[in-house]
Amino acid sequence: MPSREKSNQYVGLGRREGSALGQGNLLGRLDLMYELQALEGGQLLDVGCGNGAYSLRMAEQVDLVVGIDIEPDRLDDFRDAAAGTSTKVLQASATAMPFRSQSFDAVTAIETMEHLGPHMDGTLTEIRRVLRPGGAFYLTTPNRWWPMEQHGFALRGRRHPGWHFPFLTWFPPLHRRLSPDDAFTPARLDRLVTHHGFRRTGLAYMLPPLDGHPGLRRRTRLVRRLIERSPLRRFGQTLVMVYTAA
């Protein structure tokens, strides 16, 4: 898949680090996706599949998952793990997909949209082309109102973790200068996606699952899910959204 490059410190795309790692993050995103719209049967395309961690889980719900990405090392990891599963792995660009029109019943882009940059329009055009009418487009991506940049930022030739600059994402012009990765509001995603023949049918917010702190995770799981259903959810880490192809 195409990358958004503003610094040679950032190359490639997909679930590289940060918010996408850990079983809590993985299962949290998938659970919310399935709550918004059940994923059952048919053929699914996972755009920006990376090492296939999400694709392999989704293969339990559908007849076939096809994962595409342009990073060969990650795809090699996916192929090693995919043996004996209902998945296919292809190295392909999201802006020139090697599939016939209306080939898939569902498409996912999990922690991918923020890396597309100038390739956003071309990718959405291709997603709509390969998705059958009435098919579901699931996406997850960083929420702009979460106060930490989830992929870090570059300053004075060095890369820094997001917590070194709290609220950076709240200032889009500065955020664009310091980070190659985007962050979104639901309204902005609606403008981008619906332009390509989709209508939004679901929205949820995910808070961090605290994978690195087992004791804290156990004590706060219920509180986290309650917050995800309260007005405070708007400050959640991740947007989880579903669109339907017209």
Side-chain angles (χ1 to χ4, degrees):
M1 292 190 58
S3 62
R4 182 187 181 191
E5 297 185 36
K6 287 187 180 179
S7 165
N8 59 14
Q9 298 181 38
Y10 298 89
V11 293
L13 178 140
R15 294 146 213 157
R16 300 174 302 184
E17 59 184 289
S19 65
L21 290 183
Q23 287 298 301
N25 275 300
L26 189 154
L27 296 177
R29 288 183 174 87
L30 294 181
D31 286 348
L32 286 173
M33 285 167 51
Y34 299 160
E35 286 180 19
L36 292 175
Q37 184 165 327
L39 184 62
E40 298 177 340
Q43 298 193 44
L44 180 145
L45 173 66
D46 188 16
V47 177
C49 63
N51 65 8
Y54 288 86
S55 306
L56 291 167
R57 287 281 186 171
M58 292 187 292
E60 300 169 2
Q61 308 294 320
V62 299
D63 300 321
L64 174 68
V65 173
V66 179
I68 65 169
D69 208 304
I70 61 165
E71 296 187 4
D73 291 343
R74 293 184 177 276
L75 293 177
D76 287 343
D77 292 340
F78 188 173
R79 290 188 182 95
D80 291 343
T85 68
S86 56
T87 60
K88 292 183 179 179
V89 186
L90 296 175
Q91 185 173 358
S93 169
T95 58
M97 299 183 191
F99 310 114
R100 294 180 179 178
S101 297
Q102 301 182 18
S103 295
F104 294 96
D105 303 287
V107 175
T108 56
I110 302 174
E111 304 306 290
T112 294
M113 304 292 286
E114 64 268 27
H115 305 295
L116 293 175
H119 306 287
M120 177 74 73
D121 189 68
T123 298
L124 290 171
T125 297
E126 280 290 88
I127 288 173
R128 180 60 190 90
R129 181 184 67 81
V130 303
L131 186 60
R132 67 168 175 79
F137 173 35
Y138 300 80
L139 68 86
T140 78
T141 197
N143 178 19
R144 179 165 296 284
W145 298 117
W146 175 249
M148 304 295 176
E149 164 50 54
Q150 297 178 44
H151 299 91
F153 62 95
L155 183 64
R156 296 181 178 177
R158 295 181 56 194
R159 188 174 180 178
H160 302 266
W163 57 269
H164 282 187
F165 196 153
F167 305 104
L168 173 62
T169 57
W170 291 24
F171 302 93
L174 182 59
H175 181 222
R176 285 193 294 269
R177 289 184 59 187
L178 299 183
S179 173
D181 302 299
D182 213 334
F184 298 90
T185 63
R188 182 174 168 222
L189 280 171
D190 282 348
R191 290 193 296 271
L192 291 168
V193 178
T194 58
H195 174 70
H196 291 269
F198 292 93
R199 59 184 177 87
R200 193 224 289 175
T201 51
L203 166 64
Y205 298 81
M206 189 186 86
L207 272 72
L210 304 173
D211 275 19
H213 306 276
L216 183 61
R217 181 174 68 246
R218 287 193 296 271
R219 293 194 296 271
T220 60
R221 184 180 296 121
L222 176 60
V223 173
R224 181 173 59 85
R225 293 310 298 268
L226 289 173
I227 292 174
E228 288 173 351
R229 289 161 173 77
S230 79
L232 291 175
R233 67 185 182 275
R234 296 181 181 277
F235 298 95
Q237 168 188 285
T238 303
L239 299 175
V240 182
M241 304 180 72
V242 181
Y243 293 87
T244 299

